[in-house]
Amino acid sequence: TAGESIVLRVSRYLPGRDAEPVPRDYEVPLREEWSVLDGLNHVKDVLDGSLAYRWSCRMGICGSCGMTVNGEPRLTCGTFLSEFAPGPVVVEPLRGFAVIRDLVVDIEPFLGKLASVTPWLVRNGAEPPPDAEFAQTPEQLGAYKQFSMCINCMLCYSACPVYALDEDFLGPAAIALAQRYNLDSRDMGAAARFDVLAAAGGVWDCTYVGECSAACPKGVDPAGAIQQYKLTAAMETVRRFLLPKGAR
Ligand code: FES
């Protein structure tokens, strides 16, 4: 309703200057159509221009506005202030990542994990089809499509209790990304990905809590990808290391 407001309790922190993060309250208009990101933009534009946070698309596509809202990893552009009325709305950086400033976290370790799974179509020198198009049936597309919907928002890492204990865990989004390519009928890179996915820090570290899939704002099921690949990895391990050479 017009005239109502809500308190955003925002974590402020500049490593090197501040000993620890300090919550700071800002009163913002409580409008029905305002997301938490709209509230942060109001803080930045009107109340305190020194606040640092990331955002871009405002429509759940770019994946840059993930933060911890009242204890849960959420996309702030898709989370409405009214959900938390009468407030306060506690906004903190995504857990599990080093804070660079205020609500901005270091995404480099995450990008390194994505890069480690050979996230592209590997053709091993195979010739393209004569018509130069890799046609796929709806079933072939369906095998990997949901894993291609990831927007790299990192909410799944923030929700993962294994990653919280071990930052070397490859983690949900990177494994789902590997499956996005492993399950693509055009791809021939599964053998190279096995060396990463089945190694220490790979799929076997997942305890199948499922919080990653619950946190995903795009309906991707990383926990399912991991369970799926555990079966593949087990069969590939038998093939590589247990079967006699002639039977592989
Ligand atoms: Fe792009 Fe929220 S601003 S996903």
Side-chain angles (χ1 to χ4, degrees), residues 103-128:
L103 303 166
V104 176
V105 295
D106 184 7
I107 65 171
E108 289 298 328
F110 172 71
L111 295 179
K113 290 176 194 299
L114 296 185
S116 75
V117 301
T118 318
W120 57 83
L121 291 175
V122 174
R123 293 293 296 164
N124 288 337
E127 290 294 323

Side-chain angles (χ1 to χ4, degrees), residues 37 55-65 75 77 151:
L37 179 60
W55 66 283
S56 179
C57 71
R58 284 175 55 162
M59 54 178 74
I61 295 295
C62 74
S64 64
C65 72
L75 286 186
C77 71
I151 57 171

